[in-house]
Amino acid sequence: MADARTKTIAIIAGDGVGKEVVAQGVRVLERLSELRGWSLKLVSLDLGADRFLRDGATFPAEDQRFVRESCDAVLLGAIGDPRVPSLDYARDILFGLRFGLDLYCNVRPVQCLDDRLMPIVGKRASDCDMVVFRENTEGVYVGVGGNFKKGTPDEVAITEDLNTRKGVERVIRAAFEFAVAHGRKRVTMSDKHNAMPHAHGLWKRCFDEVKGDYPGVEAKHMFVDALCMQMVRAPETLDVIVTNNLFGDIVTDLGAALQGGLGMAGSANVNPGRVSLFEPVHGSAPDIAGKDLANPLATVLTIGMLLSHLGFEGEEAKLIEVVREAVRTGHCTRDVGGELGTRAVGDWVVSQLR
Ligand code: ATP
């Protein structure tokens, strides 16, 4: 990174609503850059279903090299298109980024920004402010396993839960480091080591070891079933959560429901201190794609995380406030109770940047 203010960001709008929300995200980045005098280089990469259908390319080696060697961050919209039933092209792009950059932390803030969005009766928006660290490179999602006697009545199906000491320890440590850096009081590690003593026993042992290095942060353990109940019954007791790939996938969708739905959930795929990837949690949403209906606020929140990662202090908090105000004043899309389209929400957000 040549200068603290010169950053290169690869933009992969991708498919479906990804194109629409990223277009608004780019406007936010450009406007902030103009207001603050930053030198941001935004480089669009033509990846996704259109490109694949045009020339068969998924994630060409030169693009992979560019991202790895010349970028500071990647902003991604969504990948997925009903015209391409095979998920191979999506896997090439998403796994190419995730494993190519070794993005081992999927960080998902679960913060409810307005009482109107809080689905739990008797709870306020301020009761829900947690951050989930989901392990992003291991677990049951690595595809280890197989089928025996497939399609017969005697079929055997096995999916292995792959956990390494290095993988488990580094994501737990990242959660504690985040807690320290952001003044968060508690880290809750969630597993199921009572039922899965081998794989999740490793999580428990690593957690018990690592927590000793962070005496200022309260360390708590919860089985994932209890965690789900706690998220709904007493979200105010949860702060930073760290868990494996599968459980993280599930609890963050529950989390998205607590913050107003997928249109309000941002995320980062991080290797701390290295090139990382930022994307709204939602997918390409083919049902609403191209209709100016997609909520771009998840992308605005995601850009806040991207700017924090790049070291632009204070910008994320300001963007969160703009999003909070968008919802409070009804400058938002239908999924969160407004009447505006994607572009109009983008216009309003850009108009609020100071
Ligand atoms: P994936 O498999 O990529 O997660 P999915 O189809 O399961 O995709 P999404 O594409 O995220 O999930 O869409 C789920 C639902 O949420 C859809 O009905 C979609 O319309 C809605 N949705 C997703 N993103 C948004 C958004 N930004 N604004 C409004 N609604 C959205």
Side-chain angles (χ1 to χ4, degrees), residues 3 18 22 26 32 143 147 159 173 189 200 202 267 278 325:
D3 172 288
V22 163
V26 165
L32 281 176
N147 294 78
T159 294
R173 199 168 284 285
M189 191 281 283
H200 291 191
L202 175 63
S267 86
F278 298 81
E325 203 52 17

Side-chain angles (χ1 to χ4, degrees), residues 17 21 78-80 262-264 281-288 293-296 298 333 335:
V17 298
V21 296
I79 302 289
L262 289 171
M264 295 299 293
V281 169
H282 62 77
S284 59
D287 55 330
I288 57 167
L293 291 174
N295 185 349
T333 45
D335 57 306

Side-chain angles (χ1 to χ4, degrees), residues 37 52 181 205 274 281:
F52 178 69
R205 280 182 283 121
R274 291 176 46 184
V281 169

Side-chain angles (χ1 to χ4, degrees), residues 168-188:
V168 173
E169 195 179 317
R170 66 183 183 173
V171 72
I172 291 175
R173 199 168 284 285
F176 275 103
E177 290 290 335
F178 176 90
V180 170
H182 294 82
R184 298 259 179 181
K185 305 266 176 289
R186 181 182 304 141
V187 172
T188 301

